[in-house]
Amino acid sequence: MSVIFSVYIDFDKSDFERNLDYEKNVKNKNEFKSNYDFLKKKHKEYAKCLNVSYILYENDNKWKEYQKHFKKKYPFISQYNVINFYKIQLIYELCETYDEVLYLDFDVVPVTKKNIFKEINIEDGIACKINHERNTDHYSILTSPKILKEREQFFEETGITFSERDPKSKYWNCRALLIEKGYDGENDVYNTGIILANKKNLYKLKYFADFENDLKFMNEVKHQEGLWPKFIQNCFGYDNETLFSFKMKTNNVNLVELDDTWHFPYRHIINYIPKESKMIHVINKNFKYVKKYVKKNHL
């Protein structure tokens, strides 16, 4: 028995931190709200096509209790990160009832009738996408003495560095965590906008097994002085994908990599969606174009 689920929380503007991501968060909030019916409809249609259950978790008492718990216990964690931990928590809860669980970010639009539960074998791993900057050479350029000096000077003058959502931030954050634990630091940056998993591999991942200490550890690494350049350390955060990568590595969980066919990251300014795409992750929130694409191709 399988299930598809998503999460949609209509945040208030006041819920967002006044940081580099504030304007982006407000824009995304408005786009989600305006396109709520379309996004929910596409999720439900796909679940119906596969003859599986669909659940949309919204701003109900379950979420409010989870949010309240986080605010009290981990006040340093942003709303954005809380909701992303919430979705991982829900995956674990649903795997107690269902054999396989498919999580879709609410901005993921299925445009296929192919059954992902049959097409992707997750017997020996968790299915997820590696982010677009997997090539670690892209990250290691930051270790160049010249670039290090320039970036550090720019940060000291302006206080500006990468957003904690930037794949570079997540790579270096996870690298720092791993090195502190005696690993070589190499890691993958995941996009958890689509996750397909079963109980066996979720239990192996042990995502929440030592959650409180993991968050304390992330907090320590973020604030320890002298170990990392300030412009890198300042972009460390508490996001679910950094911890996901850390757990995949330390608990030796196999990755079943979703390619662009099953997880197409539509993020660019250029409006283009490959015809072979089965699921479109509308990262740029240009739902208007995706609606046109769906209509034009009778999807």
Side-chain angles (χ1 to χ4, degrees):
M1 191 164 57
S2 304
V3 66
I4 299 172
F5 85 97
S6 188
V7 178
Y8 170 69
I9 306 297
D10 183 21
F11 287 114
D12 188 83
K13 285 184 181 180
S14 62
D15 290 325
F16 300 130
E17 293 182 16
R18 289 276 182 172
N19 56 23
L20 291 174
D21 293 316
Y22 178 76
E23 294 299 329
K24 177 181 177 180
N25 287 334
V26 173
K27 175 182 177 293
N28 290 352
K29 163 193 160 55
N30 294 333
E31 289 297 332
F32 274 124
K33 191 167 186 176
S34 298
N35 293 279
Y36 172 90
D37 291 338
F38 168 72
L39 296 170
K40 184 176 180 180
K41 177 173 176 282
K42 294 306 294 179
H43 284 194
K44 292 181 73 174
E45 285 179 350
Y46 185 58
K48 184 177 180 180
C49 178
L50 273 52
N51 195 29
V52 302
S53 300
Y54 174 70
I55 304 171
L56 178 60
Y57 292 90
E58 300 193 54
N59 196 9
D60 56 12
N61 289 334
K62 184 181 182 71
W63 158 249
K64 290 173 182 175
E65 285 300 316
Y66 192 83
Q67 183 186 38
K68 182 179 178 182
H69 163 75
F70 253 85
K71 278 186 175 180
K72 182 177 180 180
K73 199 161 189 177
Y74 313 110
F76 50 89
I77 296 182
S78 69
Q79 292 281 7
Y80 175 82
N81 286 324
V82 173
I83 194 173
N84 279 293
F85 285 127
Y86 183 53
K87 75 185 186 186
I88 305 294
Q89 178 65 45
L90 292 171
I91 294 175
Y92 273 86
E93 291 181 10
L94 289 169
C95 83
E96 297 297 331
T97 302
Y98 296 91
D99 300 315
E100 294 182 332
V101 179
L102 173 65
Y103 168 76
L104 302 177
D105 269 1
F106 199 51
D107 58 358
V108 172
V109 180
V111 289
T112 183
K113 293 183 179 179
K114 293 281 187 180
N115 190 334
I116 191 171
F117 296 104
K118 293 181 179 179
E119 297 281 328
I120 306 295
N121 184 349
I122 55 167
E123 178 59 29
D124 297 317
I126 293 175
C128 194
K129 183 175 179 61
I130 298 296
N131 217 324
H132 66 297
E133 294 180 313
R134 184 180 187 181
N135 185 350
T136 53
D137 289 342
H138 180 83
Y139 303 120
S140 61
I141 193 172
L142 295 178
T143 61
S144 158
K146 181 176 182 294
I147 293 176
L148 270 177
K149 183 178 179 180
E150 290 174 351
R151 295 293 314 203
E152 194 75 341
Q153 182 176 346
F154 180 76
F155 174 72
E156 289 177 356
E157 292 174 353
T158 66
I160 298 174
T161 185
F162 310 114
S163 162
E164 69 175 51
R165 299 190 200 178
D166 190 306
K168 290 185 286 293
S169 301
K170 295 174 185 180
Y171 172 81
W172 283 100
N173 196 353
C174 187
R175 184 177 179 85
L177 297 175
L178 289 168
I179 289 174
E180 284 289 306
K181 292 294 185 181
Y183 293 85
D184 62 14
E186 289 306 307
N187 67 91
D188 289 318
V189 180
Y190 291 87
N191 184 326
T192 58
I194 302 176
I195 302 172
L196 177 61
N198 60 23
K199 184 175 182 177
K200 180 182 76 172
N201 290 301
L202 286 169
Y203 273 43
K204 186 176 181 181
L205 184 66
K206 299 179 181 177
Y207 194 91
F208 294 105
D210 199 20
F211 190 60
E212 183 170 353
N213 285 329
D214 287 334
L215 290 183
K216 286 180 180 178
F217 177 46
M218 294 175 83
N219 194 47
E220 288 170 6
V221 171
K222 179 175 175 63
H223 293 101
Q224 282 178 348
E225 294 186 6
L227 294 180
W228 298 91
K230 292 179 182 178
F231 80 93
I232 289 180
Q233 192 169 19
N234 198 259
C235 69
F236 289 176
Y238 311 93
D239 70 286
N240 79 101
E241 291 171 341
T242 295
L243 187 57
F244 192 91
S245 181
F246 178 76
K247 292 292 186 176
M248 289 286 281
K249 185 76 177 277
T250 57
N251 292 322
N252 196 29
V253 181
N254 292 326
L255 166 69
V256 179
E257 187 172 352
L258 295 178
D259 61 16
D260 280 1
T261 302
W262 278 107
H263 187 157
F264 174 66
Y266 174 37
R267 60 166 59 87
H268 303 294
I269 298 174
I270 298 173
N271 291 323
Y272 171 71
I273 297 172
K275 63 181 180 180
E276 63 271 16
S277 301
K278 293 182 173 65
M279 293 192 182
I280 304 165
H281 191 177
V282 193
I283 296 171
N284 62 9
K285 306 301 181 286
N286 188 355
F287 299 118
K288 183 177 179 180
Y289 180 78
V290 175
K291 285 180 176 178
K292 289 180 180 178
Y293 175 85
V294 167
K295 184 176 182 180
K296 179 181 177 181
N297 293 280
H298 309 287
L299 298 169

